[in-house]
Amino acid sequence: MASRLSVAELEGFREIRMIREAAEFLGIADPFFRVHEGIAGAQTVIGGETYVNFASYNYLGLNGHPKITAAAKAAIDRYGTSVSASRPVSGERPVHRELEQALARLHGAEDSVVFVGGHATNVSVIGHLLGRNDVIVHDALIHNSIVQGAILSGARRVPFAHLDCEAADRLLGETRPRNGHALLVIEGHYSMDGDVPDLPSFIAIARRHRAWLMVDEAHALGVLGARGFGIADRFGVDPREVDIWMGTLSKSLVSCGGYIAGRAELVDYLKLVAPGFVFSVGMAPPAAAAALAALGLLEREPERVHRVNERGTLFLRLAREGGLDVGGSIGASIVPIITGGSIRAGRLAQAMFQRGVNVQPILYPAVPERAARLRFFLTADHDEIQIRDTVRILLEENRRVTSDPSDLAAVARHLGRMALSSS
Ligand SMILES: Cc1ncc(COP(=O)(O)O)c(C=O)c1O
């Protein structure tokens, strides 16, 4: 009888096994899927030990806020834990529309619609709004969810060099189909690099080529602008100039889900046709209530936004003064420390963990090998001492890791022996 088809036969599976084997050979423990035993904020407890934590998007320190927790509990008491089917089928709960109206207000938009996942929002909306005869021009470092949506749409996908408006302008000019539609997609605050695009220039480019401009605000909401309303707030531009605002509820708003805000006709259309809305369950009431309560706190307590920016600026300045490569980060809430290699990033993250700091490495293939890094997420709740201590430890451990070169030849010999023994 023929053997059963195994996932282990996939090329990607073999690659993962190789990477794990190399890490084990180098004595680097797997840093992913760590179990946190409580709320992960500026600190977290892992394996009974307390760590200073730079691995959560809890930018405003709102996770676990009593008002948010109470709102989620009240929603459970009233509506239960699920709406059990899509909103067209199972009907609305008032909290859905209240949340959508609040998000629309924040973006100066006519309306908004929430989906159960941020990733799913991009896939479903882009995948459905564009089609075969269209073009999607996007930043080369755009989030995976946008790439997946673009692939699903069947449109021609054209990346431009990171943040480069002139390249975007030129590529849109060269590829925009005469009869099709065009979408220009950027992020408000790039999640890997902590840098920001020149929004006014991108608005002008979108208008020039009669393209929709879509801005993913996943990491901008709660962080950018004096009120934390995102990149339009930072640049002081009229948010109605952006055709499609996208955001997630999982980061500053400490819930789960995604949304699109824009003109009423866009929202109305998506609510009738976007598969991720029409054929997927409505947001769980406690998740919607938590996001709504968090939004209220963001509006009422802008000092949280100022604090996360102050913390980010301090971290960035100290790291830069110490000679670390922080890329183009503006120091709002995301600071990468680029190590220039995955092995070094893995070792540095492990060394930090052993010294009480939880920070995740970003390794190839998530980024190109020379762009491997540690990524620090700052929150409004980090204090100055935690930041100063962390950068001091980072400089010490970086010197140690740098002076201990990785024996790549030994890794290659080990992997070669492994491949021979398994063939
Ligand atoms: C830029 C960007 N867009 C979309 C998403 C997906 O959001 P979610 O994690 O809420 O599904 C993320 C997640 O990190 C992101 O960074």
Side-chain angles (χ1 to χ4, degrees):
M1 202 170 63
S3 66
R4 284 178 63 174
L5 181 60
S6 165
V7 172
E9 291 172 46
L10 294 174
E11 189 57 35
F13 189 95
R14 286 197 209 109
E15 266 175 29
I16 289 168
R17 211 164 50 191
M18 285 283 215
I19 290 170
R20 282 192 175 146
E21 189 64 34
E24 202 173 304
F25 179 74
L26 289 164
I28 304 172
D30 189 341
F32 306 115
F33 297 102
R34 282 189 180 129
V35 178
H36 296 247
E37 289 148 27
I39 291 172
Q43 290 195 337
T44 191
V45 177
I46 300 171
E49 302 285 336
T50 301
Y51 293 81
V52 182
N53 186 39
F54 294 94
S56 97
Y57 304 135
N58 185 11
Y59 293 132
L60 302 177
L62 287 175
N63 197 10
H65 190 291
K67 286 199 171 129
I68 299 175
T69 307
K73 285 180 178 165
I76 292 179
D77 288 343
R78 181 141 196 189
Y79 307 111
T81 49
S82 169
V83 297
S84 308
S86 70
R87 284 165 56 190
V89 171
S90 72
E92 297 285 63
R93 308 298 180 275
V95 68
H96 289 142
R97 284 304 288 153
E98 284 168 38
L99 174 60
E100 287 168 343
Q101 281 156 1
L103 287 165
R105 239 187 356 260
L106 182 136
H107 284 292
E110 290 173 4
D111 205 351
S112 89
V113 51
V114 293
F115 293 70
V116 286
H119 192 283
T121 304
N122 277 334
V123 174
S124 197
V125 170
I126 298 174
H128 209 72
L129 215 48
L130 284 293
R132 276 179 177 286
N133 298 322
D134 303 332
V135 67
I136 299 173
V137 175
H138 65 80
D139 191 287
L141 298 190
I142 207 80
H143 191 258
N144 168 277
S145 51
I146 289 161
V147 174
Q148 296 299 322
I151 293 169
L152 177 66
S153 74
R156 179 168 178 196
R157 189 167 71 81
V158 184
F160 60 87
H162 184 48
L163 301 179
D164 188 341
C165 334
E166 283 168 24
D169 194 16
R170 180 171 43 77
L171 289 168
L172 253 175
E174 285 168 11
T175 60
R176 197 214 187 291
R178 203 177 294 250
N179 299 316
H181 305 117
L183 178 72
L184 175 58
V185 199
I186 55 176
E187 286 179 35
H189 186 202
Y190 283 89
S191 64
M192 283 290 176
D193 292 78
D195 48 12
V196 296
D198 177 4
L199 181 64
S201 296
F202 281 101
I203 290 172
I205 293 165
R207 287 297 96 78
R208 189 149 51 242
H209 298 281
R210 205 166 170 267
W212 288 309
L213 177 62
M214 177 172 185
V215 184
D216 179 332
E217 291 276 89
H219 297 269
L221 179 65
V223 171
L224 297 187
R227 297 168 299 171
F229 288 5
I231 188 152
D233 193 16
R234 176 182 170 87
F235 277 96
V237 306
D238 182 347
R240 287 172 300 188
E241 294 290 338
V242 171
D243 302 282
I244 307 173
W245 288 108
M246 182 273 166
T248 70
L249 306 175
S250 59
K251 301 179 179 25
S252 287
L253 301 185
V254 296
S255 181
C256 183
Y259 65 88
I260 295 289
R263 291 170 74 165
E265 63 196 20
L266 167 74
V267 171
D268 188 36
Y269 178 70
L270 291 176
K271 282 170 87 165
L272 294 174
V273 301
F277 182 83
V278 177
F279 299 105
S280 188
V281 69
M283 255 186 103
L292 181 60
L295 209 50
L297 284 162
L298 164 64
E299 283 171 334
R300 288 194 301 279
E301 299 179 6
E303 59 275 15
R304 290 177 184 276
V305 180
H306 304 160
R307 261 206 327 269
V308 68
N309 276 272
E310 264 174 30
R311 303 306 187 243
T313 306
L314 175 65
F315 190 102
L316 183 75
R317 180 170 64 73
L318 295 175
R320 221 181 237 150
E321 281 171 7
L324 296 170
D325 180 355
V326 293
S329 170
I330 60 163
S333 63
I334 304 168
V335 183
I337 300 294
I338 299 164
T339 62
S342 292
I343 293 177
R344 199 180 283 178
R347 280 194 163 145
L348 187 54
Q350 174 153 304
M352 295 302 289
F353 193 67
Q354 283 161 353
R355 300 214 34 203
V357 176
N358 185 43
V359 56
Q360 287 293 314
I362 309 286
L363 312 173
Y364 173 85
V367 286
E369 175 60 12
R370 67 189 154 68
R373 63 195 58 197
L374 265 55
R375 196 166 48 148
F376 287 83
F377 295 111
L378 283 299
T379 81
D381 283 351
H382 282 113
D383 65 30
E384 198 176 321
I385 295 170
Q386 285 170 329
I387 291 172
R388 288 187 184 278
D389 283 352
T390 297
V391 178
R392 178 178 49 75
I393 295 170
L394 183 61
L395 291 171
E396 286 168 15
E397 293 303 328
N398 188 50
R399 267 194 297 278
R400 213 175 47 72
V401 167
T402 311
S403 65
D404 177 15
S406 309
D407 187 352
L408 281 176
V411 178
R413 277 196 300 277
H414 174 73
L415 292 179
R417 277 195 299 274
M418 216 192 82
L420 275 179
S421 67
S422 66
S423 64

